[in-house]
Amino acid sequence: MDREREIKIKERIQERYDILEALYSSWFTEKPVLEFPKENFYQQGHIEKHRAITYLLDKGYIVANSAENDPETVEVSITSDGIDFYEQGLLNGKGEGWSIVTEHIENK
C-alpha cells in the first residue's frame, strides 16, 4: 500500500477513536451524555470529522438525539457496542493511528 494512503487511513481511524475516547471517558462519569450545539456536532464544515461521526452513528457505536428541551442541541453518548469496539481497539493497538502519522512527519 502506498505510504500516503496508509497515513490517511490511520488519520481517519484516529479521528474515530478520538471521538469515541471523549464519549467513553464521559460515560464513566456522573454525566454519561455530552451535549453539543447541532451545528458543532454534525461538523458540516469539516468533512473528515463529519464522516467520522456519520460512520460511528451508522455502526451503532454512538447515538445522538435532539435534546428534549432544546431542539438546537444534540445529546450524544457511546453505546455498549461502542464501548466494546473502543476497548478492544485499544487493547489490540488499533487506536494508535497517530504513531504512524507522526513518524512520517518527523522523517520528512
Side-chain angles (χ1 to χ4, degrees), residues 2 4 8 31 35 43 57 59 61 68 70 78 86 92:
D2 162 327
E4 294 298 319
K8 195 63 169 166
K31 188 161 172 63
E35 294 181 353
Q43 294 287 323
L57 288 165
K59 293 292 276 186
Y61 294 155
E68 202 171 295
D70 182 1
I78 193 167
Y86 178 77
N92 295 328

Side-chain angles (χ1 to χ4, degrees), residues 36-89:
F36 300 95
K38 277 187 180 178
E39 69 273 1
N40 291 357
F41 177 70
Y42 289 107
Q43 294 287 323
Q44 296 294 327
H46 188 291
I47 195 66
E48 289 291 334
K49 187 171 288 284
H50 176 73
R51 288 185 178 145
I53 290 167
T54 301
Y55 173 88
L56 295 170
L57 288 165
D58 289 348
K59 293 292 276 186
Y61 294 155
I62 65 173
V63 292
N65 297 302
S66 291
E68 202 171 295
N69 58 349
D70 182 1
E72 294 305 312
T73 299
V74 100
E75 297 176 334
V76 185
S77 65
I78 193 167
T79 65
S80 57
D81 287 338
I83 290 169
D84 291 344
F85 175 78
Y86 178 77
E87 291 175 340
Q88 288 303 309

Side-chain angles (χ1 to χ4, degrees), residues 33 35 73 101 106:
V33 174
E35 294 181 353
T73 299
V101 175
E106 289 170 0

